[in-house]
Amino acid sequence: MTADTFPTQAVIEKTHDLIRPYIHKTPVFTNQTINDLCGAELYFKCENFQKIGAFKARGGINAVLSLREEERTNGLTTHSSGNHAQAIAYAARQVGAKAYIVMPDNSPQVKINAVQGYGAEITFCQNTPEDREGTVQKIREQTGAAFIHPFNDYRVIAGQATAAKELLEQVEEKLDVLMSPVGGGGLLSGTALAAHYFSPGTRVIAGEPEGAADAILSFRSGQIERAPYVKTIADGLLTPLGDKTLAIIREYVQDILTVSDEEIVAAMQLLWERMKIVVEPSGAVPFAALLKNKQQFKGKKVGIILTGGNVDLGKLPF
């Protein structure tokens, strides 16, 4: 599989078989109190229990395993605020390759520590798309490392699709709705393709922070838009969509709902208190969107991907 091989149903099935030895089949949790509060049946896919503490292990390991050995000899590079950085550092270690990771200088310390823990070399940059990409380009010129984009890469999208594929297999009854957060759109586009192939008729709805609300604009206009402003606690959802993710999202996603940081924190706190699980702000965004729009989901069976649990415990927002 190459970066330009579109994730067909067969590709996603093959991807799942390829990455299975390197990932956890994460559990699906339910909670009666939360169901009563929402008036719906919720099924939480707990990717906070995934390798590296986030779903991005799936796309990262698939992209790295899809490279030929000679493509990995000069190492691997990417840019990420944390979870994809960890995914590539983890995957590089699995195949014995060097990882050169570009991280914004305001990345959470817990994510920086984890990337270093996998033996990657970190270069810090300013948190703008231009600086991220420019820094990676310099590293590629200096080292010859293979670049793995955090989301705008069909190998990554196919890997992320396996989370929703598993969720659909684990819940016996057909889901009415599948929800994920959206940042660059790798998970959302993978989720949408998984629903299309493995559960036709299941609607796909994303949650997005108001403080990084570019995807909703792009979804409406058909062009890659920038957020009116970028300021949110959901540090994993700051990047705009890519051309590959936008095309899939426009075709296969039904809606994008935005939420404030206050709503994200309230949803995060409810998950911690009621379900006793560690979920990072970005991971609580789709649940926050459901809580804000309960009427829309009343009586429905809803699958929600809790994307990760990499939280700086010294800086909890509650």
Side-chain angles (χ1 to χ4, degrees), residues 296-307:
Q296 191 174 326
F297 300 94
K298 199 170 179 61
K300 301 271 199 296
K301 294 179 174 65
V302 184
I304 298 180
I305 300 176
L306 297 178
T307 51

Side-chain angles (χ1 to χ4, degrees), residues 5 39 55 73 88 113 115 145 208 266 282 308:
T5 306
F55 76 93
T73 51
I88 298 305
N113 294 346
V115 172
E208 182 173 44
S282 301

Side-chain angles (χ1 to χ4, degrees), residues 164 178 187-197 202 204 248-249 252-253:
L178 259 178
L187 178 67
L188 178 58
S189 49
T191 299
L193 289 173
H196 174 68
Y197 298 138
T202 295
V204 177
I248 295 169
I249 288 165
Y252 298 108
V253 172

Side-chain angles (χ1 to χ4, degrees), residues 138-182:
K138 282 181 197 163
I139 289 169
R140 291 178 75 185
E141 289 165 5
Q142 289 163 3
T143 65
F147 173 59
I148 297 174
H149 196 280
F151 50 86
N152 205 44
D153 180 316
Y154 287 138
R155 300 165 299 188
V156 172
I157 292 167
Q160 317 308 27
T162 63
K165 177 178 177 286
E166 274 182 14
L167 172 56
L168 292 165
E169 291 164 354
Q170 287 167 293
V171 178
E172 290 179 5
E173 298 173 72
K174 185 180 176 76
L175 293 174
D176 298 304
V177 182
L178 259 178
M179 299 187 77
S180 90
V182 59

Side-chain angles (χ1 to χ4, degrees), residues 11 18 41-42 51 53 57 105 127 150 170 175 184 200 204 229 267-268 279 281 291 309:
V11 165
L18 178 68
E41 281 182 49
L42 308 190
K51 297 277 190 182
D105 51 20
N127 199 1
Q170 287 167 293
L175 293 174
V204 177
Y229 68 98
M268 180 179 166
V279 180
L291 287 170

Side-chain angles (χ1 to χ4, degrees), residues 206-236:
E208 182 173 44
E210 288 175 2
D214 59 277
I216 190 167
L217 300 178
S218 304
F219 182 65
R220 289 170 179 166
S221 74
Q223 300 172 344
I224 295 172
E225 307 282 0
R226 289 296 173 89
Y229 68 98
V230 178
K231 189 177 190 302
T232 176
I233 192 171
D235 62 272

Side-chain angles (χ1 to χ4, degrees), residues 21 52 61 81 167 201 265 273 288:
I52 74 151
I61 196 74
S81 64
L167 172 56
V265 171
E273 288 179 350

